[in-house]
Amino acid sequence: MSDKTLTRMDLSEAVFRQVGLSRNESATLVESVLQHMSDALATGETVKISSFGTFSVRSKSARVGRNPKTGDEVPISPRRVLTFRPSHLMKERVAAGKKKR
Amino acid sequence: MIRSELIQKIADENPHLTQRHVERIVNTVFEEIIDALAKGERVELRGFGAFSVKARDARIGRNPRTGEAVKVDDKKVPFFKTGKLLRDRLNGK
């Protein structure tokens, strides 16, 4: 397993290579993709990208948590969390990647 | 929001690019992420979140209908952790 980490830079480099825009504009467009997805999610909208996966916002109700170190009870207020469900294609490609090694 | 709506939004903001170009840009972003994960790499997008690969051990599962025991091989699964900025935005901060 590789411990390499990709960042925005690697994504804009890929856009630069494959689409042929300037490096600068490639970076702006990658940012714009993430921004539009974030904006939709912030309003509670589900973002469904076919053959990639689905991001959905779920509401969690309030509950009493516990500080695992001290055992103190702490109230956890209701909040919204994001879940990502990978597509079949992504699951298959990730599972198959293991075998190539 | 679905992929085509995302493409449309970006196309509207960039009238100098063709629809075809915007499609390739958006598809490249998602394909790059899948390619990296398939190689076992992490993808970290600060403020948005991080994609990584988690290993699941082999286990003995059970067919819920028949109760039969079935071997489940060890496998790699994609995982996403929401970034701090996006998590705060979901909660109106």
Side-chain angles (χ1 to χ4, degrees):
Chain A
M1 167 106 69
S2 165
D3 49 13
K4 195 180 161 213
T5 298
L6 264 76
T7 62
R8 281 176 170 73
M9 242 211 315
D10 299 289
L11 297 184
S12 20
E13 187 65 23
V15 170
F16 165 74
R17 278 195 326 263
Q18 308 215 353
V19 189
L21 303 174
S22 73
R23 280 206 163 81
N24 224 323
E25 195 173 14
S26 302
T28 308
L29 283 154
V30 167
E31 198 52 50
S32 171
V33 169
L34 298 176
Q35 201 57 55
H36 281 296
M37 291 171 71
S38 301
D39 289 351
L41 293 165
T43 67
E45 215 186 308
T46 294
V47 175
K48 202 178 243 169
I49 307 294
S50 55
S51 74
F52 184 80
T54 304
F55 298 88
S56 47
V57 180
R58 289 175 40 200
S59 294
K60 298 257 198 176
S61 47
R63 64 186 173 90
V64 178
R66 209 173 268 281
N67 179 329
K69 199 173 283 179
T70 62
D72 292 346
E73 282 191 357
V74 220
I76 298 179
S77 35
R79 64 203 195 286
R80 294 202 298 177
V81 296
L82 180 59
T83 56
F84 173 66
R85 237 195 111 198
S87 68
H88 275 289
L89 180 97
M90 185 192 279
K91 282 197 213 165
E92 273 166 26
R93 296 237 5 234
V94 168
K98 175 189 83 170
K99 286 164 203 149
K100 266 188 272 162
R101 214 165 285 260
Chain B
M1 179 164 80
I2 60 173
R3 189 194 284 257
S4 57
E5 290 165 340
L6 175 60
I7 290 167
Q8 194 54 54
K9 280 191 173 156
I10 295 171
D12 291 346
E13 282 175 351
N14 296 278
H16 63 294
L17 298 175
T18 63
Q19 185 88 10
R20 180 72 56 85
H21 264 97
V22 178
E23 264 169 41
R24 279 180 53 198
I25 292 158
V26 171
N27 295 347
T28 299
V29 168
F30 293 119
E31 275 162 24
E32 250 347 84
I33 297 175
I34 296 182
D35 280 350
L37 294 172
K39 285 187 262 177
E41 296 169 356
R42 256 172 70 79
V43 181
E44 191 174 306
L45 304 166
R46 287 281 160 92
F48 182 78
F51 296 90
S52 58
V53 176
K54 290 203 166 182
R56 295 266 181 268
D57 285 338
R59 63 189 170 87
I60 303 293
R62 214 165 266 287
N63 180 330
R65 191 169 305 177
T66 62
E68 228 178 315
V70 235
K71 252 195 239 159
V72 182
D73 285 344
D74 61 323
K75 60 182 173 189
K76 297 256 194 308
V77 294
F79 179 78
F80 176 74
K81 185 172 190 285
T82 313
K84 190 174 183 323
L85 192 79
L86 182 52
R87 205 181 328 131
D88 288 347
R89 277 191 74 193
L90 292 177
N91 291 289
K93 279 184 218 161

